[in-house]
Amino acid sequence: MPAAATAKQMLENVLAAEKQAMADYKKRAEQAAKFGDKGLATHLETIVEDETGHYEETEKILRGW
């Protein structure tokens, strides 16, 4: 991730990182479900929910910029 020169750019970087984290955890949750590990899949889905919340909060801050 590139260094941020401004606070807004930092938040935009955070937004991109959250989006990537959501995609990565979702993929791992799908893999865990395919493997048959329902507990891990459920845990990873919970993490996706948390990351989604972080993404939405950051997005709200940026909309007010």
Side-chain angles (χ1 to χ4, degrees), residues 13-32:
N13 290 349
V14 168
L15 197 65
E18 293 294 352
K19 187 175 184 177
Q20 185 62 53
M22 289 168 15
D24 292 344
Y25 282 119
K26 185 176 180 180
K27 180 179 178 180
R28 294 295 182 215
E30 291 168 358
Q31 290 172 334

